[in-house]
Amino acid sequence: KAGVTQTPRYLIKTRGQQVTLSCSPISGHRSVSWYQQTPGQGLQFLFEYFSETQRNKGNFPGRFSGRQFSNSRSEMNVSTLELGDSALYLCASSADIYYGYTFGSGTRLTVV
Amino acid sequence: GNSVTQMEGPVTLSEEAFLTINCTYTATGYPSLFWYVQYPGEGLQLLLKATKADDKGSNKGFEATYRKETTSFHLEKGSVQVSDSAVYFCALGGSNYKLTFGKGTLLTVNP
């Protein structure tokens, strides 16, 4: 069974640019979440989608947005990149949120 | 809101030593509790889970018991190996559709 696939694995962008990250969940999983991991702030929740609907959103500026498609694949977008957006972005999918999430390997974003 | 407090470490042990990583939580409702592990350069792997009070989660020799009376979910392993060296995260999740993580504990096991 294929795991959660995130693309690309690594990305280098310049301040002010925008970026789109992609996530393909495990087949049959309809819940997809995104997290930002940094050494200073740890793991922070960005948003969660289920059947194309955002059910919860973390405390991030509006530059961070996401969406989910009818096949459960998800994308997140960060506009007007700042140096502080450099982080590991993790996607997770779940069939039942009470039983846990499966995480992808992440996209390492570096903003220069 | 929900929160998780875990022993930050780092923790350094010799192979075959006993491991305990403490985790306590604050939550409304009836969350599920999880331990995740992260190896260098990788994402998070679910190590074990417990979905209700008094449940014991176990996997690969690791165990943790969901204690509602002490709001705790401490991770234990009787005999650690070098390959257990990683960062361990305690987390809770529930009806708000998100996981709340502790800050992580770096474990290093020396041969």
Side-chain angles (χ1 to χ4, degrees):
Chain A
K1 184 170 174 179
V4 177
T5 304
Q6 290 188 247
T7 55
R9 285 296 307 274
Y10 302 94
L11 208 47
I12 300 175
K13 289 286 188 179
T14 304
R15 267 183 306 173
Q17 288 187 313
Q18 76 164 19
V19 66
T20 299
L21 311 182
S22 180
C23 173
S24 294
I26 289 173
S27 178
H29 286 192
R30 295 164 67 188
S31 170
V32 175
S33 306
W34 290 87
Y35 292 82
Q36 181 196 65
Q37 185 177 26
T38 59
Q41 299 298 317
L43 284 153
Q44 294 188 282
F45 170 75
L46 282 156
F47 21 67
E48 190 266 3
Y49 290 89
F50 181 87
S51 293
E52 302 179 70
T53 299
Q54 186 183 87
R55 296 195 293 188
N56 198 359
K57 184 179 191 304
N59 189 24
F60 279 82
R63 300 185 296 107
F64 290 81
S65 63
R67 59 178 176 168
Q68 186 182 33
F69 301 96
S70 58
N71 62 358
S72 293
R73 193 176 69 84
S74 178
E75 289 181 347
M76 68 162 281
N77 183 277
V78 188
S79 62
T80 319
L81 284 165
E82 300 177 358
L83 295 178
D85 297 333
S86 295
L88 180 66
Y89 290 88
L90 293 165
C91 172
S93 73
S94 177
D96 183 328
I97 60 174
Y98 284 92
Y99 286 86
Y101 294 77
T102 302
F103 282 79
S105 298
T107 294
R108 171 75 60 185
L109 172 65
T110 302
V111 182
V112 297
Chain B
N2 296 342
S3 67
V4 174
T5 302
Q6 71 176 96
M7 201 167 111
E8 288 192 27
V11 174
T12 302
L13 296 173
S14 298
E15 207 164 23
E16 299 184 3
F18 184 86
L19 169 71
T20 300
I21 301 177
N22 290 338
C23 172
T24 57
Y25 67 91
T26 303
T28 55
Y30 304 95
S32 293
L33 298 174
F34 308 94
W35 277 100
Y36 281 87
V37 58
Q38 187 175 34
Y39 298 98
E42 298 184 15
L44 303 175
Q45 295 179 23
L46 179 61
L47 182 59
L48 53 82
K49 63 178 179 287
T51 59
K52 61 183 186 298
D54 300 325
D55 265 2
K56 177 186 280 190
S58 61
N59 186 26
K60 300 180 182 179
F62 290 90
E63 293 183 340
T65 301
Y66 189 158
R67 301 282 189 202
K68 196 169 175 61
E69 63 276 12
T70 54
T71 61
S72 65
F73 192 56
H74 305 321
L75 182 68
E76 296 182 336
K77 186 175 186 183
S79 176
V80 294
Q81 305 300 312
V82 172
S83 57
D84 294 328
S85 298
V87 180
Y88 292 80
F89 292 93
C90 183
L92 68 83
S95 59
N96 60 355
Y97 312 119
K98 72 175 192 180
L99 290 172
T100 300
F101 287 91
K103 293 186 182 299
T105 301
L106 173 62
L107 170 66
T108 301
V109 180
N110 295 318

